[in-house]
Amino acid sequence: MLSFINLLSPYYMYIKFAHVIFVMMWAWSAVQAFTHYLIPAFSAWRQRPDDENAIKRRNWAIERFDDGVLFEHIAFPIVIITGLLLYVLGGWSTSANWLLLKLAIIVVLMIPIEIADYYLAHFGGNKARIRIAGDMQRYENMIQWHWLFFLITTPIIMLFATTIIFLAVVKPF
Amino acid sequence: MITTDFFGYPKLYNRISWAIAIYTTTGIYCFYTAIKYFFHNETSLLAWQPILVAFIFASLLARYIFLMMMFIDGQFYRKKLKKKHVTFDNKTA
C-alpha cells in the first residue's frame, strides 16, 4: 500500500486534473439535452397525453437521452476513483469539515441517484432495448418511472452538485 | 391499449418531496455526525441546536423540491411555455 502511494504521489496534480475534468463532464454533459430536448418533449406529452406526435417525440427524446447520458455515466466512476486517490495521496482526513460534508452528500445522495440512473438508462430500464423486445407496457412504465426520477432528482442535483463544487473550491470551513 | 396518462399528481409530489427531504437531511446529518463521533470524538453536533437547524433545512428542502417538481412537470408554466413545443409536430407533420 505504501509503495503504491509512493508510486502515485508525484502524479497528484495530474490526478487532480483528471478529477476536475471528469467532474465537469459528470455535472454538465447532460444539461443541454435535458433542458432543451427532454423537458419540452415531456411537457408536450403531459399537456396532450393522447397526442400521437407528442408521444412519438417523447419516446424519441428519452431513447436518445438514454444514450446521451453515457458521458455522465463514464465520468462518474472515474470521479469516484480519482477522488479516492486524491484522498489517499493528499493525506486528507475527515477532520476537514468541508470534505466530510462533501463525502456525506456523495455517499447519501449522489451514489444512490447514479445507481438508479444507470439502471433506468442502460440496464433494465433502457427504453430502446425494451421497445425492440416488444414489451410496450413495460416501455411505457419505464418512461413514466424515468420521468418521475427526473422530477425528483433534478432539484436535488441542481442544489447538491453545486454545493459539492462550492465545498471543493472554496473549502469554507 | 397502453395508457399514456402519467401517474404523478401534486399530492404525490408533496409526499415524495417530504420523504426525499427527510431522507437527505437525516442521511447527511447521521453520516457527518457518526464520522465526527466515532473517528474524532466530537459531540458538538449531538445537541438540540444542530438538530433544529437540520429540521428547518429539511422543511425548506421539501418545499424547494415540491416547487421544482411542479415547475418541471409543467403545472405552473403550462400555458406560457408549451405552445411552441406542442404545436411543433403538428405544424411540421
Side-chain angles (χ1 to χ4, degrees), chain B residues 29-46:
Chain B
Y29 176 81
C30 289
F31 183 94
Y32 192 97
T33 309
I35 299 277
K36 282 286 175 199
Y37 182 77
F38 290 112
F39 291 93
H40 305 286
N41 290 324
E42 277 186 35
T43 55
S44 56
L45 284 162
L46 295 169

Side-chain angles (χ1 to χ4, degrees), chain B residues 5-64:
Chain B
D5 284 338
F6 184 50
F7 58 78
Y9 54 95
K11 256 189 176 174
L12 177 69
Y13 296 163
N14 196 28
R15 285 204 288 269
I16 289 172
S17 62
W18 272 103
I20 298 291
I22 290 167
Y23 163 78
T24 302
T25 314
T26 312
I28 291 173
Y29 176 81
C30 289
F31 183 94
Y32 192 97
T33 309
I35 299 277
K36 282 286 175 199
Y37 182 77
F38 290 112
F39 291 93
H40 305 286
N41 290 324
E42 277 186 35
T43 55
S44 56
L45 284 162
L46 295 169
W48 66 270
Q49 295 95 331
I51 292 169
L52 179 67
V53 170
F55 180 78
I56 292 167
F57 176 78
S59 308
L60 293 172
L61 185 64
R63 190 68 191 151
Y64 160 73

